[in-house]
Amino acid sequence: MNDLSGLLTALQFGDGQFPGGGFAFSWGLESLIADGQITRTGFGGFLAGQMRHRWAKCDRVIIAHAHAAAGDLSRLLALDDLADAWATVETMRAGSRRAGLALLGTHLRLGTPGAQPLKNAIDGGKAQGHLPVVQGVVLAGIGLDGPSALAVSAYGMAQSFCTAAIRLGLISHLDAQRSLADVRPDLARIIAEPMPDTDDIQSFTPLADIAAMRHMDQTQRLFSN
Amino acid sequence: MRKIGAARIGIGGPVGSGKTALVERLIPALHKRGVDLAVITNDLVTHEDAERLRRTNLLAPERILAVEAGACPHTVIREDPTLNMEAADSLDRDFPDLDLILIESGGDNLASTFSLDLVDYWLFVIDVAGGDDIPRKRGPGVIQSDLLVINKVDLAPYVGVTLAPMIREASAARAGRPVLCTNCRANEGIDAVADALCAAVLYQAA
């Protein structure tokens, strides 16, 4: 795929309008706002923290390994188990599974290579279908190289936090664009870093994790987590 | 594209028009017709609609799923219906004999429409208390739905609405496609809606 064709492919599959169910998840943000733990001016810092301390060290590693192993089902099943184990918060784990299945469902219907064998494994009870594994498989299936796949995933996660924050009334549309621009150099640097082994996965976002644990007890919920 | 499972029917309409009340009345009416049924609700704010349905004990709780819409009731039934499709697929897997899944949208405005990748047929519920000018506004929900239901017809005299012209205007706006009237509180008009659904997607004669 030439550069321009690759860019257009990344734009299509990185678009916030791509039907993968992402709009229904806030990954702890809704509860943080409900609990008064985050302010408009603090959103940029929150976004950078989520990307650095969760996406970069956990999701990115699983996506990259799944992308590299897109045709190797037994390796994908092991990565799916790992994603399940690393999602220690119930609402995050359920969200990762539901978002993964929704994204996979669309790619199945589009006929993306690699989607059907993974779906068969999920239907057969051999995998859960966690989002980072599905992302790795389908982004490889549509022909994106590893770094482009990571860029699509990173941008998708960051813009999903931004649109959730807008809909929850925390930030404005301009705040969102400024936050995305501010985090971009960080994301580019992280994507270019050497890929850790799966034994070196980490995740440390305690405030968001506690908020996500409290989500099921909130009296009002617009989002799934 | 999907394997043959239960037929899927969408129920949309503005906030407070009576979508949940209609579902509560349709469940026994469809059971009476031998239809094996499940419901998905898309709540705007909470699991209110799903909980309300579960409290009625009309359906086993595992046959009522709630899908959060992230404050986007349009998106979850149209631009990105993937979460509803996954929920419906999971009902098909869990209940292999299922005939019909009702997908109740969160309360929305007159512009809401259902993706035809999500549903086989959809109805739009308005009510007389919302004003007799709603059909004249020709919103996509009123125009494009397979069936338009005008609910709360008993309230017409109290809100200054004369029903006959409202129905005429609705039929004209829809180029003669079906319009049915209900009073869900009193269980009036429900059989006609149930018959219409069964005829359209289950090929049952009324």
Side-chain angles (χ1 to χ4, degrees):
Chain A
M1 176 172 315
N2 66 35
D3 282 357
L4 205 51
S5 170
L7 175 60
L8 286 165
T9 305
L11 286 171
Q12 180 185 347
F13 294 94
D15 186 347
Q17 298 268 336
F18 186 84
F23 65 92
F25 302 91
S26 89
W27 309 104
L29 184 60
E30 182 173 31
S31 291
L32 277 180
I33 294 172
D35 290 346
Q37 294 284 347
I38 185 167
T39 61
R40 181 179 179 181
T41 51
F43 177 75
F46 165 79
L47 178 64
Q50 288 293 307
M51 299 311 294
R52 274 180 212 149
H53 301 298
R54 189 157 61 82
W55 183 84
K57 293 178 176 171
C58 185
D59 299 34
R60 174 182 71 118
V61 184
I62 298 170
I63 294 162
H65 285 272
H67 182 277
D72 178 352
L73 192 59
S74 64
R75 175 74 178 135
L76 293 175
L77 299 187
L79 287 166
D80 190 68
D81 269 350
L82 196 64
D84 199 63
W86 271 101
T88 50
V89 177
E90 169 61 26
T91 56
M92 299 284 212
R93 189 164 59 249
S96 169
R97 223 165 37 224
R98 284 184 62 203
L101 287 174
L103 180 65
L104 186 63
T106 295
H107 280 277
L108 265 179
R109 291 171 173 91
L110 293 175
T112 301
Q116 189 68 59
L118 183 57
K119 181 67 164 63
N120 293 345
I122 294 164
D123 288 346
K126 293 179 190 147
Q128 306 273 346
H130 279 284
L131 182 60
V133 177
V134 171
Q135 282 182 329
V137 169
V138 301
L139 295 175
I142 58 161
L144 286 181
D145 60 23
S148 301
L150 291 176
V152 163
S153 165
Y155 176 73
M157 188 87 235
Q159 73 86 27
S160 160
F161 275 122
C162 287
T163 65
I166 292 170
R167 279 177 274 143
L168 288 162
L170 181 69
I171 63 170
S172 74
H173 64 301
L174 295 177
D175 294 333
Q177 292 307 314
R178 291 185 187 111
S179 300
L180 286 170
D182 288 346
V183 80
R184 194 190 308 135
D186 234 14
L187 297 180
R189 181 183 51 73
I190 291 164
I191 289 166
E193 280 175 359
M195 190 53 59
D197 189 75
T198 48
D199 286 344
D200 297 320
I201 288 176
Q202 316 170 25
S203 176
F204 189 68
T205 53
L207 201 62
D209 287 356
I210 293 167
M213 287 178 206
R214 289 171 46 72
H215 191 260
M216 292 313 282
D217 297 326
Q218 301 285 352
T219 51
Q220 203 185 69
R221 290 193 305 270
L222 296 167
F223 288 81
S224 167
N225 67 10
Chain B
M1 289 284 288
R2 68 175 196 264
K3 290 177 197 152
I4 299 297
R8 298 174 185 185
I9 289 183
I11 301 180
V15 177
S17 63
K19 295 179 294 302
T20 309
L22 179 62
V23 171
E24 285 170 354
R25 293 301 192 183
L26 278 175
I27 293 170
L30 291 166
H31 279 161
K32 204 170 67 187
R33 288 162 175 76
V35 177
D36 194 330
L37 188 66
V39 177
I40 297 171
T41 67
N42 295 169
D43 303 328
L44 184 61
V45 177
T46 62
H47 282 196
E48 175 80 21
D49 288 344
E51 287 307 321
R52 175 174 160 187
L53 276 180
R54 286 182 185 128
R55 278 198 301 271
T56 61
N57 291 320
L58 291 169
L59 267 184
E62 59 272 19
R63 287 173 177 259
I64 303 169
L65 298 184
V67 170
E68 296 85 351
C72 299
H74 273 48
T75 308
V76 77
I77 61 167
R78 187 174 58 200
E79 287 88 342
D80 184 353
T82 50
L83 294 170
N84 274 323
M85 290 167 76
E86 283 308 315
D89 287 351
S90 79
L91 287 168
D92 275 335
R93 273 195 303 275
D94 293 346
F95 303 100
D97 296 329
L98 207 56
D99 298 311
L100 186 64
I101 300 171
L102 298 176
I103 301 173
E104 182 196 347
S105 166
D108 205 329
N109 62 24
L110 300 179
S112 82
T113 55
F114 276 84
S115 162
L116 294 181
D117 285 331
L118 174 63
V119 296
D120 302 296
Y121 179 98
W122 62 283
L123 49 100
F124 198 73
V125 184
I126 60 174
D127 73 282
V128 295
D132 60 359
D133 56 341
I134 288 188
R136 285 198 297 277
K137 292 181 181 173
R138 301 179 59 88
V142 171
I143 303 289
Q144 295 177 22
S145 54
D146 295 298
L147 170 65
L148 180 70
V149 174
I150 303 177
N151 187 31
K152 306 187 191 177
V153 287
D154 55 312
L155 296 184
Y158 308 106
V159 293
V161 168
T162 313
L163 202 54
M166 186 178 178
I167 297 170
R168 245 189 341 264
E169 285 178 357
S171 290
R174 291 169 52 73
R177 288 157 68 235
V179 178
L180 291 173
C181 292
T182 57
N183 168 4
C184 289
R185 284 180 73 88
N187 207 11
E188 289 168 9
I190 306 301
D191 279 328
V193 176
D195 285 341
L197 303 189
C198 289
V201 299
L202 300 177
Y203 310 107
Q204 289 184 1

